Amino acid sequence: MAHDRLWWRVAWRNLWRNRLRTLITASGLAFGYLGAVLMVGVSDGMLVELIENGTRLMLGEVQVHSEDYLPERNMHRTIGGYEGTDLEIFLNQINSQEDVTAAAPRAYGGGLLSSGEETQAALLMGIDPDREPHVTTLLSRVVHGRPLVTGANEILLGSEMVEQLGTALGDEIVVVAPSSDGSMGNDLFTLVGTFDTGIPAIDQNYGLLALSDLQFLMAMDPARIHEVAITVGNAQDSPRIAETLREFLSDTELPVQVSSWTDLRPELAEMVSLMNAFHFIVVIIIFGMAAFGVANTMLIGTFERRREFAVVRALGTAPIGIGQTVVYEGIVLGMISLVAGSLITWPILVWLHNSPIDLTQVSSGFSVGGAQWRPVLRVEYSIESPIVAGLGLFLTSILAAVYPAWKATRVLPADALADR
Amino acid sequence: MKTAVRTTNLWKIYPQEPDPVEAVRDISIKIETGDFVAMAGPSGSGKTTMLNMIGGLTRPSQGQISIGDQEITEMTDKDLAQLRLEHIGFVFQSYNLLPVLTALENAEFTLLLSGIPKDERRKRVLELFNKIGLSGLEDRKPGKLSGGQQQRVAVARAVVANPALILADEPTANLDSKASADLLDVMERLNQDHGTTFLFSTHDPRVMERSRRLITLVDGQIESDKRQNHLSVSS
């Protein structure tokens, strides 16, 4: 133990023999830490943005359907079959789950929209105007007009659909849709608002109606819905939550299928996996570069102290003891760098999280798998990535010390004392 | 009398181009326990190489070395380190104190390696410092000590663990006359008080004069080996 304390003391003091060199090396590691944490933070921000836009906009993070609804989306395959289900009880059951934040029922249909001389095919989505905003941000994308009111035969259209139809707020839209009884339902709806999601597939094709209005149009019982969209606390936990919900709902004897967004948007899930792997590679590259820098500095320090190593060998230190002190220097350097890195990283991280850098001047963003990424450098942080990066930094400084330590153990005392 | 050091047909050949250098050639010596021996000779005569081989810092090309009753030529590096820790103290020409440690920490270094408790370490070092005129300098780093003071710290470091053998390589080479005389007094006193065996390499006539046995090397071989009258410690 006394040994150990001696080597720690020697390591600590050795580091401060050349303050400037130690500070430069520690700064390199600290900035490597900043780079790694920031890179992961920016990347996480992009992922969260993509996931949020891919799920929060319309999808929800978990969805419940009748087990045979997907992938054909047959209008007759409603939850609970032709009888449907008691919606309030069903939604309460879902909401009773610990990780579920909110749930909203939906129905879908295909139809034709006409205004004046123009007619367009549309996907009709029936939503609960009160519940939907707790699950998705779709209604917050209404850029002109106002949201829907249930029972008033109102419709919201995407901005591009409005252009195609040549219609305007307040105009009447004729909606024709196949009904569940085999007939064709048709009715007049008033355009009360337009939405702009930035995703052409949605803005060109969707028409939003109040759930009960769509059910009436399609001659569906109010107990019949096609989908329950659910939002959860953490989107990345969706697969686990979907599994839990699946097990829970299996007890209700309703033949349902529970899917997480990773099932519903596999291309987005792939993108997330790819970016997580990319994180890992970039962090390895950053710390790999730092490791060579630290190893180089420590190697120089080791060569400079060959004579001292020879002296402590002559005094009775085993070669392993010499290596030990060099590794301890790496550990102490790692600790100094970690403290410095944390001190510079956290304020920058919090600042960037609260004030994302707007890149709209240089980029217009992109969309992946129906999820849009706005060109805003959003930084997300958790306790996890700084800890992992801290361990990476620590490991880097220790690994960087291993080769110099090995070289130190190989010093030939007689040669070093004679400056050979 | 017991033998402290014995070398038998010792050779050290450095493989250099174009011709290997024979630094030590077939040297056999026996040094008694408690002796005060100087190994003299011009530069390149093999003095330092002999000390390094006896201290296990470099391995002989041929021949055997025994320290006390231990044959060391086949020992591992780890065992040699342990042997030095327990039985051998080193004093170097250029002091070679560790610059990051204070005088006291330098002096107690071998005690620390031996696992001696802190109180005991401090007691032994302070007593020794008092004996060799280093009291009050305990907390100074080597850079704040004179050459003579540094060399006395180096001697304290070498003797504090009471090794049976002290190997001193040109210990007075960097010291003025007064500091040299003081240092030799210190070493003679330790030799007399503790029976520690001293083996110096030197070309300093003052050291040669005060040794009890003078071995002269030339070109890696013993030119002469004689006992001489020993002068007592100066007052």
Side-chain angles (χ1 to χ4, degrees):
Chain A
M1 283 306 287
H3 261 195
D4 262 6
R5 276 202 296 276
L6 170 72
W7 295 132
W8 282 113
R9 198 186 315 158
V10 169
W12 171 259
R13 291 185 192 172
N14 266 329
L15 279 176
W16 298 111
R17 279 166 82 172
N18 193 330
R19 279 168 200 268
L20 186 63
R21 184 161 68 195
T22 299
L23 287 176
I24 289 172
T25 311
S27 301
L29 277 171
F31 279 103
Y33 177 79
L34 168 70
V37 174
L38 212 55
M39 218 292 303
V40 172
V42 169
S43 189
D44 272 350
M46 283 177 74
L47 283 182
V48 168
E49 171 107 359
L50 281 172
I51 294 169
E52 273 187 13
N53 286 346
T55 59
R56 287 282 163 84
L57 177 65
M58 199 169 200
L59 193 70
E61 283 130 9
V62 176
Q63 288 187 350
V64 182
H65 304 100
S66 169
E67 64 178 0
D68 48 4
Y69 180 68
L70 295 177
E72 284 83 9
R73 292 184 175 267
N74 186 318
M75 66 177 289
H76 301 292
R77 311 290 187 217
T78 48
I79 294 171
Y82 288 99
E83 301 296 318
T85 184
D86 187 320
L87 214 49
E88 288 305 317
I89 292 175
F90 189 58
L91 291 175
N92 283 340
Q93 283 175 330
I94 291 172
N95 278 317
S96 70
Q97 291 300 290
E98 191 186 348
D99 296 306
V100 171
T101 308
R106 293 168 176 176
Y108 292 94
L112 292 172
L113 308 182
S114 299
S115 175
E117 300 295 310
E118 298 295 332
T119 298
Q120 290 288 332
L123 285 166
L124 303 174
M125 182 177 176
I127 58 169
D128 181 333
D130 297 325
R131 287 193 169 104
E132 191 65 33
H134 298 293
V135 176
T136 67
T137 58
L138 192 54
L139 292 179
S140 71
R141 302 297 176 99
V142 173
V143 288
H144 296 110
R146 60 169 175 78
L148 298 167
V149 171
T150 298
N153 267 24
E154 293 175 349
I155 188 167
L156 297 173
L157 295 178
S159 51
E160 293 184 37
M161 171 76 88
V162 169
E163 267 180 43
Q164 286 162 5
L165 285 173
T167 187
L169 290 183
D171 287 355
E172 287 191 327
I173 309 286
V174 179
V175 181
V176 180
S179 302
S180 63
D181 59 3
S183 66
M184 289 298 286
N186 61 80
D187 214 337
L188 282 176
F189 285 78
T190 307
L191 179 65
V192 294
T194 61
F195 54 83
D196 190 352
T197 64
I199 298 171
I202 297 173
D203 297 339
Q204 285 169 5
N205 297 308
Y206 273 79
L208 303 184
L209 293 78
L211 176 63
S212 59
D213 293 348
L214 182 64
Q215 286 168 328
F216 184 77
L217 177 72
M218 294 170 61
M220 285 168 65
D221 189 273
R224 296 184 68 189
I225 56 167
H226 292 117
E227 181 174 287
V228 175
I230 297 165
T231 187
V232 297
N234 181 356
Q236 311 248 25
D237 281 346
S238 301
R240 178 186 62 77
I241 296 166
E243 183 58 41
T244 310
L245 190 60
R246 189 175 302 130
E247 280 173 25
F248 173 71
L249 292 177
S250 66
D251 296 338
T252 65
E253 293 177 4
L254 276 178
V256 293
Q257 180 180 17
V258 182
S259 316
S260 77
W261 64 268
T262 51
D263 304 319
L264 300 162
R265 290 273 189 278
E267 66 284 3
L268 189 57
E270 275 301 314
M271 174 88 180
V272 170
S273 304
L274 204 65
M275 285 183 82
N276 280 330
F278 178 65
H279 283 176
F280 186 65
I281 291 167
V282 171
V283 168
I284 285 179
I285 290 171
I286 289 173
F287 282 121
M289 285 163 63
F292 282 109
V294 176
N296 180 47
T297 307
M298 295 198 73
L299 209 51
I300 292 169
T302 305
F303 281 127
E304 285 173 356
R305 282 167 23 225
R306 283 178 78 237
R307 175 176 275 267
E308 287 170 34
F309 293 140
V311 170
V312 293
R313 284 284 301 277
L315 295 178
T317 306
I320 190 79
I322 309 283
Q324 212 175 330
T325 187
V326 177
V327 171
Y328 285 178
E329 275 178 47
I331 294 172
V332 174
L333 185 67
M335 285 165 127
I336 294 169
S337 310
L338 189 57
V339 170
S342 300
L343 287 176
I344 56 171
T345 299
W346 278 101
I348 293 175
L349 210 58
V350 173
W351 175 64
L352 282 176
H353 176 74
N354 293 326
S355 315
I357 298 171
D358 190 345
L359 298 175
T360 42
Q361 297 292 321
V362 291
S363 168
S364 56
F366 60 86
S367 70
V368 179
Q372 196 200 14
W373 180 75
R374 292 173 303 144
V376 171
L377 219 54
R378 172 176 168 179
V379 172
E380 286 297 318
Y381 60 87
S382 62
I383 196 71
E384 212 172 279
S385 65
I387 288 176
V388 171
L391 285 174
L393 179 149
F394 211 56
L395 211 61
T396 299
S397 51
I398 294 172
L399 287 177
V402 168
Y403 179 65
W406 179 77
K407 289 292 282 184
T409 64
R410 309 299 297 168
V411 166
L412 298 172
D415 287 356
L417 286 167
D419 289 329
R420 277 198 292 267
Chain B
M1 188 165 271
K2 283 179 72 179
T3 302
V5 178
R6 182 198 294 271
T7 72
T8 311
N9 305 118
L10 205 59
W11 285 79
K12 181 66 182 180
I13 302 166
Y14 291 107
Q16 277 183 9
E17 293 294 336
D19 299 313
V21 175
E22 294 175 342
V24 170
R25 297 193 288 167
D26 199 22
I27 292 183
S28 298
I29 52 170
K30 197 169 93 172
I31 294 168
E32 309 297 344
T33 299
D35 211 345
F36 202 71
V37 182
M39 218 167 3
S43 293
S45 58
K47 307 183 296 288
T48 300
T49 304
M50 275 297 288
L51 286 190
N52 285 340
M53 286 195 289
I54 291 168
L57 297 182
T58 190
R59 292 180 186 274
S61 306
Q62 204 178 306
Q64 276 87 44
I65 303 165
S66 298
I67 304 296
D69 52 6
Q70 295 189 73
E71 157 64 42
I72 70 165
T73 34
E74 298 300 323
M75 278 186 175
T76 63
D77 285 350
K78 191 180 166 197
D79 290 340
L80 282 172
Q82 195 60 33
L83 175 88
R84 287 193 292 270
L85 182 61
E86 290 171 1
H87 301 291
I88 302 173
F90 272 96
V91 180
F92 305 97
Q93 177 181 340
S94 47
Y95 329 132
N96 284 332
L97 299 178
L98 297 178
V100 294
L101 301 181
T102 63
L104 186 140
E105 288 167 339
N106 264 291
E108 68 174 8
F109 190 89
T110 51
L111 297 179
L112 245 162
L113 290 180
S114 303
I116 307 289
K118 185 177 177 181
D119 291 345
E120 172 68 12
R121 289 198 312 262
R122 294 287 147 112
K123 185 168 156 268
R124 279 162 75 168
V125 171
L126 292 176
E127 270 175 18
L128 195 55
F129 270 27
N130 192 34
K131 217 184 261 184
I132 64 177
L134 287 172
S135 291
L137 303 177
E138 293 85 0
D139 295 328
R140 289 207 193 166
K141 294 268 179 71
K144 300 284 182 192
L145 297 171
S146 71
Q149 288 167 337
Q150 285 190 56
Q151 195 59 300
R152 273 183 281 162
V153 174
V155 170
R157 179 177 67 182
V159 303
V160 72
N162 294 328
L165 173 67
I166 302 284
L167 300 173
D169 187 10
E170 309 263 10
T172 59
N174 291 339
L175 302 180
D176 60 28
S177 307
K178 170 81 171 59
S180 292
D182 288 348
L183 185 73
L184 285 167
D185 286 350
V186 165
M187 293 199 283
E188 268 189 346
R189 202 177 299 134
L190 292 167
N191 169 254
Q192 286 169 0
D193 292 352
H194 298 98
T196 311
T197 309
F198 278 79
L199 175 60
F200 304 94
S201 76
T202 187
H203 52 250
D204 181 348
R206 293 164 299 189
V207 179
M208 292 182 220
E209 272 172 27
R210 292 178 64 166
S211 65
R212 288 200 289 272
R213 180 181 170 191
L214 179 63
I215 301 168
T216 306
L217 301 183
V218 175
D219 293 337
Q221 287 183 306
I222 295 176
E223 188 189 59
S224 65
D225 183 353
K226 58 188 177 192
R227 292 234 149 246
Q228 49 187 21
N229 291 331
H230 176 235
L231 299 175
S232 60
V233 175
S234 58
S235 56

